[in-house]
Amino acid sequence: MYNKIVRTAPVVVEGANLVEKLVLLPRWKILQNQLVREIQFNDFETTWAFLTQISMRSHLWGHHPTITTSYNYVKLQLCTHELQEKVSDIDLKLAKRFEQYIEAYTQEE
Ligand SMILES: C[C@H](O)[C@H](O)[C@H]1CNC2=NC(N)=NC(=O)C2=N1
């Protein structure tokens, strides 16, 4: 499953379109043109189970978040290099998938 890199041309999502899409991703913020999400997990093991899962998914889809982590804290940043670091449909697709994983690994409501 994790050996097929799929790349499609990204499309910029900005302005009102982006605001509309973020309704479905209420825990993601836009900071300096990037989609940003911060998460606290219960412990180090859960944090790294999550990080392993998102790294495989990211690589499968050929799109990788910038990850900052410390013990049980993770910050994810997503943007698209070939679109001058703006947010694209691929960033949003990845954020949606990450959100499913976060739900599985945390008790966030
Ligand atoms: C060459 C390579 O496919 C590109 O640099 C890919 C890889 N991963 C990426 N990840 C993210 N977040 N944005 C990109 O634009 C991006 N581009």
Side-chain angles (χ1 to χ4, degrees):
M1 177 189 182
Y2 292 111
N3 62 356
K4 187 164 169 248
I5 295 179
V6 177
R7 288 286 282 155
T8 55
V11 176
V12 168
V13 182
E14 55 192 346
N17 283 341
L18 183 53
V19 171
E20 192 181 307
K21 300 280 184 207
L22 285 181
V23 172
L24 295 172
L25 291 167
R27 291 172 189 268
W28 291 76
K29 295 170 287 188
I30 300 291
L31 291 174
Q32 288 157 346
N33 265 342
Q34 298 192 333
L35 271 179
V36 181
R37 172 71 153 109
E38 292 182 291
I39 315 124
Q40 296 270 356
F41 294 93
N42 278 348
D43 50 41
F44 183 77
E45 292 89 331
T46 311
T47 303
W48 277 92
F50 170 76
L51 288 173
T52 302
Q53 190 159 18
I54 65 164
S55 65
M56 288 189 287
R57 175 55 57 189
S58 300
H59 201 50
L60 182 69
W61 285 358
H63 206 76
H64 310 79
T66 298
I67 301 171
T68 307
T69 187
S70 170
Y71 190 69
N72 67 337
Y73 167 82
V74 173
K75 180 164 87 171
L76 303 173
Q77 293 167 268
L78 281 166
C79 67
T80 297
H81 314 318
E82 66 198 84
L83 297 176
Q84 292 79 46
E85 313 294 322
K86 291 182 177 173
V87 173
S88 73
D89 57 337
I90 298 177
D91 296 306
L92 288 161
K93 182 178 165 191
L94 206 50
K96 267 185 213 149
R97 179 58 67 94
F98 289 171
E99 209 51 38
Q100 291 173 5
Y101 299 149
I102 294 165
E103 207 173 293
Y105 282 109
T106 68
Q107 288 79 50
E108 281 186 359
E109 306 230 321

